[in-house]
Amino acid sequence: MWTILMKARIRVAVTYFKLRQGFFSVLRSRLPISAFTLKEKASIPKSEAEEINPVIKGSEFAYQATNIVLINDDGVNMAAKHIRQRLLVESYTPRTWRTHPLHLLPSDPYVASDPTNKSVLNWIFLISCLNFSFWSEKEGRPDRYGVEWRDKWDSSGKKLWTGYWSLVASLNRALADDDIPITDPNFYSSEVLCPDSLIEHVFRPSPQSSESIPLLKERITIMREVGSILCKNFDGSFQGFLDEFHRRHNGEGTALQLVQMVVETFPTYRDEFIVHGRKVCLWKRVQILVAEIWAAFYPAKATHPHPIFPGVRGPQIQQLTMFADYRVPQILYHLRILDYPPSLLETLHAGSPLPSGASEEISLRAASIIAVERVKQEILKLFEETGECGEDVVSSVLIDFYLWDLAKKIENGEDRIEGMETAEIVPIHRTRSIWY
């Protein structure tokens, strides 16, 4: 009975939402100027020095200040050789993003007028807003939180998705199976059109799961906040936000400048802490947001302009860092890039929580960021030694994408590290927060 009532409520809400959207589309088309245009700000050019990613500077400081997790220089050198070889052998590029079975893909080649672009951008934005805290107290057990959906978009096969992919599967299921426009900010910002109970229904677990998605209330709060900001200031879509980004930077904006504008606009992306009296920006989710957009719309030929960053400088993706979460530090330790003190290893093996902002947690994240920067530099040196140009193909973003995929493959028994000495696979650190 509850399911029948829920489906009826969904149909009524969606029908009303579509009628409302049609009305406002006509209304907007007849307005001579948008409300936001009246609030335009003058573009302020930034010097090259100001474009140094504050995540790097803050992480360097936090790494030295905490002095808990350490970087193994020998491990960096060995891992750089291994990662470079794997990137080449596996042809791992930004276009690899398009091969993931649950990703919603924009048209290829890119067509500016294609309405799919707006849908994909809204999809990536909401996923990035909610991309945090998927580890389970029931890790490795069949009753952990999971979502059953197709094994890929154009398939009738079913698969149980866990971890980060449970979030993606939940939103895809709502869009494709339940006809719920869950990625539209005009919809999810409204408590009338999209009540909390409906969002809870979107994230419903598979029948064998005995737990719900972590931090559901926090996710709902974030959806309301970011959706309201987009609707109030950017015509109700992340495409509208990007349009304003292009206007402010005269079409010459870079990935880092987009990161900074997102942080300035949306409080949920301010992943920042005070360490010894100094603000340290770690910015995991916002850098992932921009990196995902960069990869999703990456042109078939690297020599072609990037449609989201069409300026002379292009995206300058090399300015972004890796995304400091709980999964990549695990693989960095396995590759002997990071060294943990005995006290931290004891905490990890015991499954004890690390509070957000604790010295050990900050050290783990800061050391991971600086370590991947060093791996990147070593890989670039290897390219230089062979007379190849790696500057355009190697970035901390791409290394992070690769390491995260590798960690999941190793976890699932689908891959292993060969040809170099490795450390044990230690458990992830357990920090429950909205930052990652």
Side-chain angles (χ1 to χ4, degrees):
M1 177 62 72
W2 185 90
T3 302
I4 295 173
L5 290 173
M6 176 58 73
K7 287 183 177 179
R9 288 184 65 184
I10 291 172
R11 284 196 296 270
V12 171
V14 170
T15 299
Y16 172 71
F17 173 72
K18 290 178 178 177
L19 289 172
R20 179 175 176 268
Q21 285 297 93
F23 168 76
F24 281 109
S25 294
V26 172
L27 181 61
R28 278 193 296 269
S29 69
R30 295 180 180 179
L31 289 175
I33 188 169
S34 70
F36 191 76
T37 305
L38 299 175
K39 303 176 183 178
E40 290 179 346
K41 296 180 180 179
S43 178
I44 302 174
K46 295 187 176 181
S47 69
E48 187 174 341
E50 290 177 315
E51 290 189 354
I52 296 174
N53 194 333
V55 174
I56 295 176
K57 294 188 290 185
S59 295
E60 284 277 13
F61 173 79
Y63 172 65
Q64 299 291 339
T66 54
N67 195 35
I68 298 172
V69 177
L70 301 179
I71 298 172
N72 183 330
D73 291 335
D74 291 336
V76 167
N77 294 334
M78 291 298 297
K81 295 175 183 177
H82 177 82
I83 294 170
R84 173 183 177 273
Q85 185 63 22
R86 291 290 289 265
L87 291 175
L88 292 173
V89 170
E90 298 178 21
S91 299
Y92 202 94
T93 73
R95 298 275 295 181
T96 302
W97 190 93
R98 300 182 67 90
T99 68
H100 286 278
L102 295 191
H103 282 170
L104 186 64
L105 306 181
S107 59
D108 189 33
Y110 175 80
V111 178
S113 60
D114 189 341
T116 304
N117 298 332
K118 181 177 178 180
S119 299
V120 171
L121 288 169
N122 279 339
W123 182 87
I124 291 175
F125 177 72
L126 182 58
I127 286 176
S128 297
C129 288
L130 305 179
N131 184 0
F132 56 82
S133 202
F134 300 108
W135 60 267
S136 171
E137 298 283 358
K138 302 181 178 184
E139 202 76 41
R141 289 171 44 177
D143 62 334
R144 69 160 295 176
Y145 175 73
V147 172
E148 188 177 277
W149 194 60
R150 307 173 194 175
D151 53 9
K152 55 183 178 179
W153 268 101
D154 57 349
S155 170
S156 58
K158 297 292 184 180
K159 180 175 178 177
L160 181 66
W161 299 95
T162 59
Y164 163 77
W165 293 112
S166 65
L167 166 68
V168 183
S170 293
L171 300 181
N172 290 354
R173 178 179 61 184
L175 292 170
D177 297 356
D178 300 337
D179 197 27
I180 301 173
I182 192 60
T183 56
D184 190 323
N186 295 280
F187 184 74
Y188 64 73
S189 64
S190 170
E191 295 185 39
V192 175
L193 299 173
C194 185
D196 290 1
S197 59
L198 180 57
I199 297 176
E200 186 175 357
H201 176 71
V202 166
F203 294 119
R204 64 192 182 276
S206 62
Q208 67 265 41
S209 299
S210 61
E211 60 180 1
S212 302
I213 188 170
L215 303 180
L216 177 60
K217 290 183 179 179
E218 288 79 358
R219 295 179 199 276
I220 294 174
T221 298
I222 289 171
M223 291 173 73
R224 304 296 190 208
E225 179 185 75
V226 300
S228 296
I229 291 172
L230 287 176
C231 290
K232 181 179 179 180
N233 300 315
F234 303 102
D235 204 25
S237 73
F238 195 71
Q239 177 70 68
F241 181 87
L242 278 181
D243 291 343
E244 171 60 12
F245 167 72
H246 290 145
R247 190 198 65 78
R248 288 189 190 183
H249 295 281
N250 298 315
E252 296 290 336
T254 64
L256 179 57
Q257 288 171 329
L258 181 55
V259 164
Q260 292 167 329
M261 182 172 163
V262 171
V263 171
E264 291 166 3
T265 306
F266 302 98
T268 185
Y269 282 108
R270 294 170 194 162
D271 178 10
E272 302 164 353
F273 298 87
I274 300 299
V275 178
H276 293 195
R278 175 172 166 176
K279 184 171 79 170
V280 172
C281 304
L282 299 176
W283 290 357
K284 180 260 186 180
R285 286 193 291 118
V286 64
Q287 291 196 100
I288 276 198
L289 165 64
V290 174
E292 296 267 1
I293 292 171
W294 167 74
F297 290 88
Y298 198 85
K301 293 185 178 181
T303 54
H304 290 177
H306 195 291
I308 308 300
F309 305 100
V312 175
R313 292 181 296 171
Q316 294 285 294
I317 202 69
Q318 295 85 358
Q319 292 181 327
L320 302 193
T321 71
M322 62 82 71
F323 321 121
D325 62 358
Y326 53 79
R327 185 63 65 189
V328 176
Q330 181 188 47
I331 192 67
L332 292 177
Y333 179 83
H334 181 54
L335 291 169
R336 295 186 176 273
I337 295 172
L338 296 181
D339 287 335
Y340 293 172
S343 59
L344 179 57
L345 287 171
E346 183 179 344
T347 297
L348 298 179
H349 283 296
S352 302
L354 280 179
S356 179
S359 295
E360 294 86 352
E361 189 247 1
I362 295 292
S363 183
L364 273 164
R365 301 183 71 196
S368 298
I369 290 168
I370 301 307
V372 171
E373 287 298 305
R374 294 186 187 180
V375 169
K376 178 184 72 174
Q377 293 304 323
E378 285 301 317
I379 293 176
L380 289 174
K381 287 180 183 178
L382 293 171
F383 274 112
E384 290 175 6
E385 290 172 3
T386 59
E388 301 169 276
C389 179
E391 185 71 25
D392 295 330
V393 295
V394 178
S395 64
S396 295
V397 168
L398 192 64
I399 294 170
D400 183 286
F401 282 169
Y402 170 75
L403 290 175
W404 194 90
D405 285 343
L406 177 62
K408 295 300 290 184
K409 288 178 181 177
I410 291 176
E411 180 185 47
N412 297 330
E414 301 170 4
D415 202 347
R416 56 180 297 180
I417 304 295
E418 296 180 344
M420 63 175 289
E421 187 179 358
T422 58
E424 64 172 326
I425 295 283
V426 298
I428 60 167
H429 68 276
R430 294 187 168 195
T431 299
R432 190 68 81 191
S433 83
I434 68 167
W435 305 123
Y436 63 96

